[in-house]
């Protein structure tokens, strides 16, 4: 008998192995996007939500503690809660990609450590905050997804250790096992970790679409404007939550 099909397996029927992976059913949808409208196969798509975690988004988190206004990051919560249930209902995997470093920081190069502690005085990755938490460290409160976002048991969680989520992580292997080649991007900061991950995805051959409004930043406004321009110009496309919801199958 033919076994159940999963994207990362070879079906076997009466001892014959089928390398064609014919069990997939395409789900093409038309999506309004810039600089051009798109047709996207939902069956080969996933959404990557970057760094929507306490240290970047929450009052009392690391950025808030060093004087950064985190309210622009929290502005992405409502758009994400609008689109994620509809994407799940359409069978699109939701991947939460968060900083979650080793407590000993041994996998981090000097340049990454320096970015977050430029004067060497402490307060960077792995250092304690005022509440005793370790900054951007796996298992910590600061690495957890910020309150207000709805997370499903079927969602996928990946720890990252650089601006880009593709370095030194299983993200690429997970996407290939899922049979995914089109990626939707959201989260924070749009001009930093979202863009770095999207850029590496594009250079690896993935189709990339950034969701405006669900991608936010605590950087100045011109940084977001430049990011949107460069995504459209060099790396892929942008769309909006409203356009995505309009394109998705209605329940």
């Amino acid at each position: 008998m033919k076994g159940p099909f999963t994207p990362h397996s070879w079906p076997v029927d009466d001892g014959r192995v089928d390398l064609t992976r014919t069990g997939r059913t395409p789900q093409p949808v038309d999506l309004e996007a810039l600089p051009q409208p798109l047709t996207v196969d939902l069956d080969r798509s996933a959404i990557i939500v970057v760094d929507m975690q306490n240290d970047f988004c929450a009052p009392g988190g690391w950025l808030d503690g060093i004087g950064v206004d985190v309210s622009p990051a929290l502005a992405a919560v409502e758009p994400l809660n609008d689109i994620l249930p509809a994407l799940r209902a359409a069978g699109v995997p939701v991947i939460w990609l968060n900083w979650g470093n080793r407590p000993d920081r041994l996998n981090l190069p000097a340049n990454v450590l320096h970015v977050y502690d430029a004067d060497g005085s402490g307060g960077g990755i792995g250092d304690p905050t005022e509440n005793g938490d370790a900054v951007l460290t796996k298992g910590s409160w600061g690495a957890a997804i910020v309150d207000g976002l709805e997370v499903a048991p079927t969602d996928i969680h990946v720890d990252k250790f650089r601006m880009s989520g593709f370095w030194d992580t299983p993200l690429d292997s997970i996407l290939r096992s899922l049979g995914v080649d089109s990626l939707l991007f959201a989260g924070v900061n749009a001009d930093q970790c979202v863009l770095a991950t999207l850029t590496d995805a594009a250079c690896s051959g993935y189709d990339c679409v950034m969701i405006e409004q669900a991608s936010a930043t605590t950087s100045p406004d011109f940084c977001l404007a430049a990011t949107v321009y460069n995504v459209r110009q060099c790396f892929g496309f942008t769309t909006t939550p409203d356009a995505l919801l309009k394109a998705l199958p209605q329940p």
Side-chain angles (χ1 to χ4, degrees), residues 132-181:
D133 204 33
V135 173
L136 299 178
T137 299
K138 183 177 177 64
S140 69
W141 174 82
I145 295 169
V146 68
D147 286 346
L149 280 170
E150 300 172 8
V151 182
T154 55
D155 292 350
I156 300 163
H157 299 264
V158 179
D159 295 319
K160 72 180 181 69
F161 320 107
R162 309 283 196 279
M163 293 284 187
S164 169
F166 280 94
W167 280 94
D168 198 23
T169 79
L171 179 60
D172 184 64
S173 296
I174 290 170
L175 294 172
R176 296 189 188 282
S177 290
L178 292 170
V180 162
D181 47 35

Side-chain angles (χ1 to χ4, degrees), residues 4-236:
F5 174 81
T6 57
H8 62 285
S9 65
W10 293 325
V12 180
D13 189 2
D14 294 330
R16 180 179 294 276
V17 180
D18 181 359
L19 302 187
T20 64
R21 294 176 172 87
T22 53
R24 306 192 68 132
T25 302
Q27 295 188 73
V29 297
D30 294 331
L31 176 63
E32 288 301 316
L34 291 171
Q36 294 161 290
L38 305 172
T39 299
V40 177
D41 184 358
L42 297 179
D43 191 59
R44 300 188 65 85
S45 301
I47 182 168
I48 299 177
V49 184
V50 182
D51 288 350
M52 292 299 299
Q53 60 194 88
N54 290 320
D55 266 343
F56 290 126
C57 302
W62 175 51
L63 285 190
D64 179 62
I66 60 175
V68 176
D69 177 11
V70 297
S71 59
L74 287 172
V77 169
E78 184 175 350
L80 282 167
N81 280 336
D82 288 339
I83 63 176
L84 293 182
L87 286 166
R88 293 187 188 103
V92 176
V94 175
I95 299 174
W96 300 92
L97 180 67
N98 284 10
W99 280 89
N101 291 297
R102 292 169 54 98
D104 59 17
R105 299 175 285 189
L106 286 176
N107 61 320
L108 297 181
N111 59 2
V112 173
L113 293 169
H114 178 78
V115 165
Y116 298 103
D117 184 17
D119 62 3
S121 62
I125 293 175
D127 290 328
T129 62
E130 290 184 1
N131 63 14
D133 204 33
V135 173
L136 299 178
T137 299
K138 183 177 177 64
S140 69
W141 174 82
I145 295 169
V146 68
D147 286 346
L149 280 170
E150 300 172 8
V151 182
T154 55
D155 292 350
I156 300 163
H157 299 264
V158 179
D159 295 319
K160 72 180 181 69
F161 320 107
R162 309 283 196 279
M163 293 284 187
S164 169
F166 280 94
W167 280 94
D168 198 23
T169 79
L171 179 60
D172 184 64
S173 296
I174 290 170
L175 294 172
R176 296 189 188 282
S177 290
L178 292 170
V180 162
D181 47 35
S182 293
L183 301 177
L184 303 170
F185 284 90
V188 298
N189 278 311
D191 55 315
Q192 297 173 16
C193 291
V194 176
L195 180 60
T197 306
L198 185 152
T199 301
D200 276 353
C203 291
S204 297
Y206 291 99
D207 313 322
C208 298
V209 183
M210 189 178 81
I211 307 171
E212 297 184 71
Q213 300 163 39
S215 300
T217 185
T218 55
S219 302
D221 290 344
F222 67 82
C223 296
L224 182 57
T227 297
V228 170
Y229 174 86
N230 281 319
V231 169
R232 295 174 184 167
Q233 182 74 11
C234 302
F235 304 117

